[in-house]
Amino acid sequence: MSETRPSTGGHRPRLALHGAGRMGRQLAEASESAGFSLVGVIARHQPDWLTEDLYAASPEQLVVRPDVIIDFSLPGGAASVAQWCAGNGVPLVSGTTGLDETARAELDTASAKIPLLWAANFSIGLNACLVLAKRLRELVGTDAPARILDIHHAGKLDAPSGTALVLGEAIGGDVEYDSVREGDAIGEHHLVLELADEQIEIRHVANDRRLFALGALHAARWLCSRSPGRYTMLDCIDAATP
Ligand SMILES: NC(=O)c1ccc[n+]([C@@H]2O[C@H](COP(=O)([O-])OP(=O)(O)OC[C@H]3O[C@@H](n4cnc5c(N)ncnc54)[C@H](OP(=O)(O)O)[C@@H]3O)[C@@H](O)[C@H]2O)c1
C-alpha cells in the first residue's frame, strides 16, 4: 500500500496509550526517548505511577488529539478503542491478545478507515521465528506433529498465548498446545516438531518487557504515515530491512 497519509513532519508524533498496566507503564517510560510526545494514558482506573495531567478515563477525555494510539489492554478495550480511532481518524497499534471474534471483527472494520497494526508479539526475534516456522513446515512436510508450549506470569489471562496461536498458524498441520502460568515469567515459547527419529525445537525467551514496548513504538512511528488498512509486524520489519 502507498504512503498517502501526511507524515508527522518535523514534530514529535503525539502518542496516547490505551491500557495502563504492565505494558502501558513500559510504554509510558520508553515513549519520550523513542521520539514521541506522550499526550495521554487511558484506563478505567488511574494507577499510582500515572500523573493526573496524563490520565484519561476514556479516549473522549484526551485533551490533545493524538497522531497514533498504542493499545495494550484487554479484549473489550481493544474493540472499543478501535471503534473510537476509526471514528476519529487516528491510527492504532494494538498488542492486546485473547481477542474474541467480535473484537477481531471490530479491528477489521476499523482498518477500512485507519491504518491498524495488530501483533500478538512485538519482538523482532519472535517475528523472525514465525518466518522460520513457516519455512520449516515447507521443508519437513505436513506429517510431523507440532507441540507449542508457552510459559507466562500468573497474571496472564489468555491461554494458549496469542503468540502461541500465531506460531501455530505459521507452522500449520497438527498442533498441540500447552500453557504454564506461574511466577513473573515475561514470555517463553517452545515450538517442537516431532519427526520419525529426530526432534526440532525453536525456542524464544523474552527477558525484558521493554522489548515489546520498543517494538510497539517502532510500529507506531511506521504506522503514522500509512494508508488505511490492516498491517502486521512483519510488514513493518520488512519495510525496515534493506
Ligand atoms: N503483543 C505483545 O507483544 C504483548 C506483550 C505483552 C502483553 N501483551 C498483551 O497485552 C495486554 C495487556 O497486558 P498487560 O500485561 O499490560 O496487562 P495488565 O497489566 O492487566 O493491564 C491491562 C490494562 O488495560 C486496562 N484496561 C482493561 N480493560 C480496559 C478497557 N475496557 N478500557 C480501557 N482500559 C482497559 C487496565 O486498567 P483498568 O482495568 O483500570 O481499565 C490495565 O491498565 C494483554 O492482552 C497481554 O496478553 C501483548
Side-chain angles (χ1 to χ4, degrees):
M1 260 173 263
S2 60
E3 294 186 26
T4 55
R5 286 177 71 85
S7 83
T8 52
H11 82 81
R12 294 162 77 84
R14 291 174 294 255
L15 170 71
L17 302 174
H18 188 250
R22 282 169 283 251
M23 282 305 302
R25 184 172 188 170
Q26 289 285 330
L27 281 154
E29 286 170 4
S31 58
E32 294 287 334
S33 55
F36 289 87
S37 170
L38 184 63
V39 298
V41 180
I42 308 151
R44 292 169 301 185
H45 311 95
Q46 181 180 355
D48 295 346
W49 59 268
L50 185 61
T51 53
E52 189 66 40
D53 56 323
L54 281 178
Y55 174 68
S58 68
E60 291 77 16
Q61 286 190 7
L62 289 171
V63 177
V64 177
R65 185 182 184 281
D67 295 311
V68 60
I69 289 188
I70 301 181
D71 161 68
F72 279 82
S73 59
L74 292 176
S80 69
V81 78
Q83 229 173 39
W84 185 87
C85 285
N88 290 274
V90 176
L92 174 66
V93 169
S94 175
T96 300
T97 61
L99 302 182
D100 60 16
E101 218 163 284
T102 314
R104 282 200 297 269
E106 203 62 69
L107 264 58
D108 277 338
T109 305
S111 68
K113 295 201 172 140
I114 52 163
L116 191 153
L117 187 155
W118 177 87
N121 196 303
F122 282 94
S123 138
I124 290 175
L126 191 284
N127 280 278
C129 291
L130 295 180
V131 177
L132 290 179
K134 199 158 183 264
R135 182 71 183 125
L136 194 54
R137 179 57 88 195
E138 287 165 4
L139 292 172
V140 303
T142 50
D143 286 349
R147 275 187 289 121
I148 297 176
L149 167 69
D150 81 274
I151 305 170
H152 282 90
H153 57 89
K156 183 165 176 65
L157 296 179
D158 52 324
S161 69
T163 301
L165 294 173
V166 294
L167 260 177
E169 266 171 46
I171 195 76
D174 184 13
V175 184
E176 190 185 308
Y177 295 93
D178 198 6
S179 301
V180 172
R181 299 284 172 264
E182 65 182 10
D184 54 7
I186 292 169
E188 181 169 335
H189 291 85
H190 299 246
L191 164 61
V192 180
L193 261 192
E194 297 288 352
L195 280 77
D197 295 311
E198 55 192 334
Q199 198 179 64
I200 303 171
E201 177 166 359
I202 297 177
R203 173 171 173 261
H204 180 269
V205 183
N207 292 325
D208 194 320
R209 232 168 234 115
R210 206 176 123 79
L211 159 81
F212 306 127
L214 294 179
L217 288 163
H218 175 72
R221 176 171 282 284
W222 178 81
L223 198 69
C224 278
S225 53
R226 299 300 114 184
S227 306
R230 186 80 192 250
Y231 298 92
T232 68
M233 198 53 190
L234 281 175
D235 296 327
C236 169
I237 294 169
D238 280 349
T241 308

